[in-house]
Amino acid sequence: MNNYRIYGCVLLTILLFVACTNRNTPQGVTEDFIYNYYKHANQGASLKLCAGRAEEKLHAEIARVQEVRSQDQPVTDMPQIDYQQTGKERSTEVEGVIHELFNYKLTIKSRDGRTTHSRNVVITTENIDGQWKVVNFDEYE
């Protein structure tokens, strides 16, 4: 019985730590976006993190692929995608708005491991009514 109490306390501590982790930061929302959008192709989860141009892009993408799959249906044959932050820039304040930009390098490996290529991603975040959101994202070689 004593072991169950210890296990319960440890589990409660872990759950409280996870629940108290603040993901409402430019870095947190960016990492969550990359994880959901690029690593798992989950447009539905990604959309919740977006506003502005990024939201428009995702709505257009969801409309294009809706006949193939629903926005919350996971893609089962995803390539392996690893990502690494390569830069960060805070823009100057314009009319009370501050953007934070993040640069990432995606390394994409085919499922069979034979083909690898990389893409660069720029993600722009903005604080909208107290919530950090991805407001734009672009990819380039």
Side-chain angles (χ1 to χ4, degrees):
M1 188 71 169
N2 223 3
N3 287 338
Y4 291 114
R5 279 192 182 148
I6 292 171
Y7 176 74
C9 287
V10 170
L11 182 60
L12 181 61
T13 302
I14 291 170
L15 290 173
L16 286 173
F17 178 75
V18 170
C20 294
T21 303
N22 184 8
R23 301 301 293 168
N24 186 27
T25 64
Q27 183 83 38
V29 76
T30 298
E31 289 173 358
D32 291 349
F33 178 80
I34 287 185
Y35 178 83
N36 286 302
Y37 184 71
Y38 288 104
K39 194 155 179 84
H40 295 285
N42 187 335
Q43 292 105 337
S46 304
L47 191 57
K48 295 173 186 174
L49 303 167
C50 294
R53 182 72 179 123
E55 187 175 25
E56 293 169 10
K57 287 179 180 181
L58 281 177
H59 278 301
E61 182 176 316
I62 289 167
R64 283 192 307 271
V65 300
Q66 73 183 0
E67 289 184 26
V68 179
R69 69 179 180 94
S70 72
Q71 70 184 29
D72 293 323
Q73 180 184 3
V75 176
T76 56
D77 56 347
M78 286 285 296
Q80 178 185 339
I81 299 177
D82 296 314
Y83 53 92
Q84 177 182 6
Q85 184 179 339
T86 59
K88 176 182 173 182
E89 179 182 330
R90 183 173 185 171
S91 69
T92 57
E93 187 172 330
V94 178
E95 296 181 15
V97 176
I98 297 174
H99 292 104
E100 290 202 24
L101 288 77
F102 296 86
N103 297 303
Y104 280 82
K105 180 179 180 181
L106 303 178
T107 303
I108 305 157
K109 294 181 186 174
S110 63
R111 289 183 52 102
D112 62 10
R114 293 184 206 178
T115 308
T116 301
H117 68 279
S118 63
R119 303 278 301 161
N120 296 297
V121 178
V122 177
I123 298 177
T124 306
T125 61
E126 179 182 323
N127 191 310
I128 299 173
D129 298 326
Q131 292 291 313
W132 282 96
K133 297 284 187 175
V134 171
V135 293
N136 202 359
F137 61 98
D138 286 302
E139 300 173 21
Y140 62 96
E141 293 287 327

